[in-house]
Amino acid sequence: MSDPERAREELKAAIARLADGDRSALEFIYSATSAKLFGICLRILGSRDEAEDALQDVYISLWRSAGRYDPARASPISWLATFARNRAIDRLRSGGGGGRVQREAAPIEEAAEISDSAPLADAMLETTQRDAKIHHCLGELEDRTQDAIRTAFFEGTTYAELAEAKDVPLGTMKSWVRRGLEKLKRCLDI
């Protein structure tokens, strides 16, 4: 199963848990989707305050209707994006907070065509999971190897600079890094 598929399955499972009353599932769904859904609300409403209110409405509605989610009809993020779009449009039509929304928002006809350049929630979840796995696998390495790989790849230090800083021959440093990368590859199942 690919990482995006796994992320979708985790969101589906979280919605099912939420339907059974699991509050922690709502926290998971919120952390995985709120940035994307807020972006949708903000683009439609044009007001940060109104978008925040609409987003709150989205999660309240989700809490009440998670049991109606049908994974055969839509991906979890598509279903949630529809919630966000509908809540934002409802606020737009009602005028939101004292008509403020109507003056700041895009015309309602444009709401259907608003694109969101923010990464999809499942892609963000996939990145978070991948990063956590990389850091876990790095933590499994010997301290000297872990330090050498982090310094070389995250700080851009050359093998020669690393060897000099650690007072070891260049060949030894290259061996540490090569063996460490092999272990990382096995740990990450690449």
Side-chain angles (χ1 to χ4, degrees), residues 23 56 85 103 117 119 131 156 160 168 176-177 187:
R23 288 178 185 257
Q56 181 178 354
R85 180 183 173 280
R103 288 190 304 277
S117 61
D131 291 350
V168 297
W176 288 354
V177 172
C187 180

Side-chain angles (χ1 to χ4, degrees), residues 20-113:
D20 291 336
D22 181 354
R23 288 178 185 257
S24 66
L26 185 60
E27 291 174 30
F28 173 82
I29 295 166
Y30 181 85
S31 68
T33 63
S34 60
K36 171 113 179 131
L37 301 183
F38 178 74
I40 292 169
C41 293
L42 183 61
R43 282 183 176 87
I44 292 171
L45 294 167
S47 161
R48 188 167 194 82
D49 290 340
E50 291 298 325
E52 288 171 358
D53 288 345
L55 186 65
Q56 181 178 354
D57 291 346
V58 167
Y59 290 105
I60 290 170
S61 296
L62 175 62
W63 175 261
R64 292 179 183 149
S65 61
R68 291 188 295 187
Y69 172 62
D70 180 1
R73 296 187 66 191
S75 73
I77 194 62
S78 296
W79 189 66
L80 293 169
T82 300
F83 260 113
R85 180 183 173 280
N86 291 345
R87 290 299 164 258
I89 289 173
D90 288 348
R91 290 188 73 77
L92 189 63
R93 285 183 177 146
S94 71
R100 186 173 73 241
V101 174
Q102 293 287 4
R103 288 190 304 277
E104 298 174 6
I108 198 159
E109 297 80 29
E110 294 178 20
E113 298 169 18

Side-chain angles (χ1 to χ4, degrees), residues 134-148:
I134 289 170
H135 288 288
H136 167 76
C137 290
L138 274 170
E140 298 289 313
L141 300 175
E142 294 177 19
D143 288 343
R144 69 179 185 195
T145 304
Q146 182 183 145
D147 182 55

Side-chain angles (χ1 to χ4, degrees), residues 1-14:
M1 179 182 299
S2 70
D3 288 338
E5 290 170 339
R6 189 175 305 115
R8 267 189 295 281
E9 291 306 315
E10 288 176 354
L11 272 176
K12 286 178 189 176

Side-chain angles (χ1 to χ4, degrees), residues 110-137:
E110 294 178 20
E113 298 169 18
I114 293 175
S115 64
D116 186 2
S117 61
L120 295 174
D122 51 357
M124 289 172 37
L125 182 60
E126 173 187 335
T127 300
T128 301
Q129 291 171 336
R130 185 196 64 225
D131 291 350
K133 187 166 186 178
I134 289 170
H135 288 288
H136 167 76
C137 290

